[in-house]
Amino acid sequence: MAAHIRRRLRKGATTTAVAAAAVAALAASQAPAATLADGSAGSGDPKAAGEDTASGEADGAATGNSPYYTDLPPLVTPDKPGSSSNLPAAGRAEAGIPASILAAYKQAERTVSTTDPSCRLPWQLLAAIGKVESGQARGGRVDANGTASPRILGPALNGQGFALIKDTDGGAYDGDAVHDRAVGPMQFIPSTWASWGQDANGDGRKDPNNIYDAALAAGRYLCANDRDLALAADLDQAVLSYNRSTEYLRTVRSWFSYYQRGTHEIPDGTGTLPSTPSTPAPSPRPGGGSGSSATPSPNPSPSKPGGKPSPGPSKPGGGGSTSPTPKPPTPKPTPPSATFGSLENAGTGPLRATAGQEFDERVSVLARNAVGAPLAKVPVTFTVTGGTGTLFAGGRKTVTVRTGTDGTATAPKLQAGEKAGEFTVTAVAGTGRPRTLTYAATVTARQADAIARTDEKALVATPGEKFADAVTVKATYKDAAAAGVAVTATMVKDPLGVIDNDKGPYFKDAKGKPVRTLTTLTTDADGQLRLPEIFADDNEGTYLLRLTTEGGASVVIELTVKAPEETTPEEPAPDATETPAATKP
């Protein structure tokens, strides 16, 4: 163990010369450049970089800012730009990742992509951190279940050059009942593992020494606070939350780029361990973890590139000594039990309703936390979008509902509008990177399963005249009046309505021109419809009018056009008062 620690560099005490040499080695290596986000680590702003790593406290870092390997990738990258990442086994040793370790990283990526897809966690980032933290579990020295053997422990975080973290686990994970130590392939301190520990290999235990458990915990930790790791700024902040050191970020970034260029699988236990210069002896400084005081040096000198200078005796033109500017506290990632992970459909069925009717189905969603458990008290905003006139109960287009203890939130009932068509209901939850679900819904036209005339009077008109009697029909649905049902009226040649008629009776449009089809008719509140006036042209005969409804109901009505019958005048009867002519004898 002592040899292992000697191979690792104590963060916070790295000298300027060592840091400069590391950066020079990276530049000379021709490895992919580690692009840092503007205003983040590497910009020269120690606050942005999360510097001051020997501050004597864990500062919320997953590793407690314990030591790490500082080796940079080799001089030649494992693959050429644009070529295949399926490197042969004979490739450079540093590009090989032990089989179990590689499998754990890829499994963690798949799991997180399901529970938190907007994080976009790349497994190569886990590989880079695993390389820097433990040399890929000491070259893949794990058992068949993926547990490091022997377990991997960092030095006691006793404030002697490192953060001061008193025991939080009773020595359960690290065997130290006095101070905490970073544990396992991903080097979690016990207090962080208590919040973020995972059981990724399904053995019923959350073991920081198991690479599957540790890789998934690291992935969820990096995704905390709604980070999108495809964004450079979010990736930088995620790595700094793991270990608050600019040099750490640069080293992880270098390996991340290296692994993105290509890797290959090698047998467990055959990986290459990093080797680093000996760890410099701890030197206490003001505010350092040793707990001792130190006299400020006359000239300020940074501990490493981008670090804070030691306080000088005075400012130019000033009269007193300056104090180090306190670093603003960095928010600690929210534990996965309280971190919003995903928004899912909670079993909402098809959303269909007839115009003007209430939807039987209600939109319901399920919120889960970062480990996949139901998450309560999450506000979910539901919004109706579309031109059907559909609204939530109470006439609202947007409502907000909080999830219950089972993680579900159900929107109020939907009231269909009067216009048939499609619309959407959108559910949105979460801040930073909100999760969104969209549901398709349909409003169908009101329907009737029967339509009939309200009387049986014959409809007759003289050529060139209009029909004296109006046509009135009633539509029903399941024997009840069907209000608001669309009806189409068409003059046809055959009872089936296959052939339209271009002569005989007709309606008139708004301009008074003859039309033989009307599509804008609707039944009233009682399901009845009185047709507009019908006119006859000069063609005599029997014609058909077909009425059809939404729902398939139909009725065919006869219209007769004929001239009135001519009548012969009768001779008038003799007048009874007239005297009959005298007869001759």
Side-chain angles (χ1 to χ4, degrees):
M1 182 63 200
H4 169 64
I5 296 172
R6 282 197 300 271
R7 289 197 306 269
R8 307 181 74 181
L9 183 61
R10 175 177 59 83
K11 302 182 302 297
T14 306
T15 64
T16 304
V18 172
V23 174
L26 173 59
S29 72
Q30 301 176 19
T35 304
L36 305 181
D38 292 342
S40 65
S43 64
D45 180 2
K47 293 180 183 179
E51 200 55 88
D52 192 17
T53 57
S55 60
E57 58 186 33
D59 200 22
T63 65
N65 292 334
S66 59
Y68 57 88
Y69 291 107
T70 59
D71 290 39
L72 295 171
L75 295 177
V76 181
T77 57
D79 203 6
K80 294 180 180 179
S83 60
S84 171
S85 61
N86 298 320
L87 298 180
R92 184 171 290 277
E94 290 85 349
I97 299 179
S100 294
I101 314 304
L102 182 60
Y105 296 149
K106 291 184 176 181
Q107 176 179 295
E109 178 191 64
R110 290 193 299 270
T111 301
V112 173
S113 69
T114 300
T115 59
D116 189 4
S118 55
C119 174
R120 297 192 279 185
L121 170 72
W123 67 262
Q124 292 91 342
L125 179 60
L126 296 174
I129 290 176
K131 178 71 172 179
V132 174
E133 290 293 344
S134 67
Q136 310 298 19
R138 293 197 185 120
R141 287 168 177 80
V142 295
D143 62 20
N145 294 322
T147 302
S149 180
R151 62 182 176 178
I152 303 171
L153 296 174
L157 299 176
N158 56 13
Q160 302 300 313
F162 311 122
L164 173 60
I165 305 178
K166 295 184 179 181
D167 176 66
T168 61
D169 66 331
Y173 293 121
D174 56 14
D176 190 334
V178 179
H179 298 96
D180 272 347
R181 298 168 180 259
V183 182
M186 305 304 280
Q187 289 288 277
F188 278 96
I189 55 174
S191 58
T192 303
W193 185 259
S195 295
W196 292 88
Q198 305 289 307
D199 176 20
N201 65 347
D203 64 357
R205 297 178 59 237
K206 298 177 180 179
D207 184 0
N209 277 294
N210 182 274
I211 184 58
Y212 292 96
D213 294 356
L216 181 57
R220 296 198 189 283
Y221 186 91
L222 294 167
C223 288
N225 298 337
D226 284 333
R227 296 189 185 103
D228 180 354
L229 299 183
L231 304 177
D234 279 10
L235 188 145
D236 288 352
Q237 289 304 315
V239 175
L240 287 171
S241 77
Y242 212 87
N243 195 312
R244 303 192 185 285
S245 162
T246 306
E247 184 180 348
Y248 179 84
L249 172 61
R250 288 172 175 159
T251 306
V252 168
R253 274 285 205 167
S254 297
W255 282 107
F256 176 49
S257 296
Y258 180 78
Y259 287 139
Q260 283 184 311
R261 298 289 291 274
T263 59
H264 59 275
E265 179 185 301
I266 60 174
D268 288 346
T270 62
T272 302
L273 276 174
S275 59
T276 64
S278 299
T279 303
S283 56
R285 59 179 179 136
S290 63
S292 61
S293 61
T295 304
S297 59
N299 298 314
S301 59
S303 61
K304 54 179 146 178
K308 292 181 179 177
S310 302
S314 63
K315 293 181 179 179
S321 61
T322 59
S323 300
T325 303
K327 185 179 65 175
T330 303
K332 189 175 182 179
T334 306
S337 59
T339 300
F340 186 27
S342 63
L343 190 67
E344 304 170 10
N345 185 354
T348 305
L351 296 169
R352 295 180 65 87
T354 301
Q357 303 300 310
E358 191 174 69
F359 281 73
D360 293 331
E361 196 74 19
R362 295 170 67 179
V363 178
S364 184
V365 299
L366 170 62
R368 295 187 185 274
N369 61 21
V371 294
L375 187 60
K377 299 182 180 179
V378 175
V380 182
T381 299
F382 299 92
T383 303
V384 175
T385 304
T388 65
T390 301
L391 299 170
F392 290 112
R396 295 170 293 173
K397 271 193 169 185
T398 300
V399 294
T400 300
V401 181
R402 287 185 177 272
T403 58
T405 54
D406 61 352
T408 63
T410 302
K413 283 196 171 184
L414 288 164
Q415 180 71 34
E418 290 298 333
K419 185 176 181 180
E422 296 183 350
F423 68 97
T424 59
V425 179
T426 304
V428 180
T431 57
R433 290 183 292 109
R435 279 61 162 177
T436 301
L437 283 178
T438 300
Y439 298 80
T442 303
V443 175
T444 58
R446 296 173 185 263
Q447 297 184 355
D449 54 17
I451 185 170
R453 286 189 64 190
T454 58
D455 61 62
E456 296 181 357
K457 190 174 181 180
L459 300 168
V460 181
T462 301
E465 301 295 331
K466 68 179 179 180
F467 286 79
D469 297 309
V471 177
T472 303
V473 294
K474 182 175 182 178
T476 57
Y477 182 71
K478 295 182 179 179
D479 297 328
V485 174
V487 178
T488 299
T490 306
M491 299 299 175
V492 293
K493 288 184 178 180
D494 62 301
L496 296 178
V498 176
I499 304 173
D500 292 353
N501 211 334
D502 58 356
K503 64 180 180 178
Y506 59 89
F507 303 102
K508 287 184 178 181
D509 63 12
K511 297 181 179 180
K513 293 183 178 181
V515 292
R516 289 184 169 84
T517 298
L518 294 178
T519 58
T520 58
L521 307 174
T522 306
T523 60
D524 62 16
D526 297 323
Q528 293 192 9
L529 169 65
R530 182 185 176 93
L531 269 62
E533 291 181 326
I534 303 175
F535 299 86
D537 61 11
D538 295 332
N539 298 289
E540 296 186 38
T542 299
Y543 298 90
L544 301 176
L545 167 63
R546 179 180 173 86
L547 303 178
T548 57
T549 71
E550 288 288 343
S554 66
V555 62
V556 176
I557 301 170
E558 284 190 358
L559 302 173
T560 301
V561 179
K562 68 176 182 178
E565 294 182 359
E566 294 184 3
T567 58
T568 302
E570 296 182 1
E571 293 185 4
D575 191 350
T577 61
E578 184 176 333
T579 302
T583 59
K584 292 181 179 181

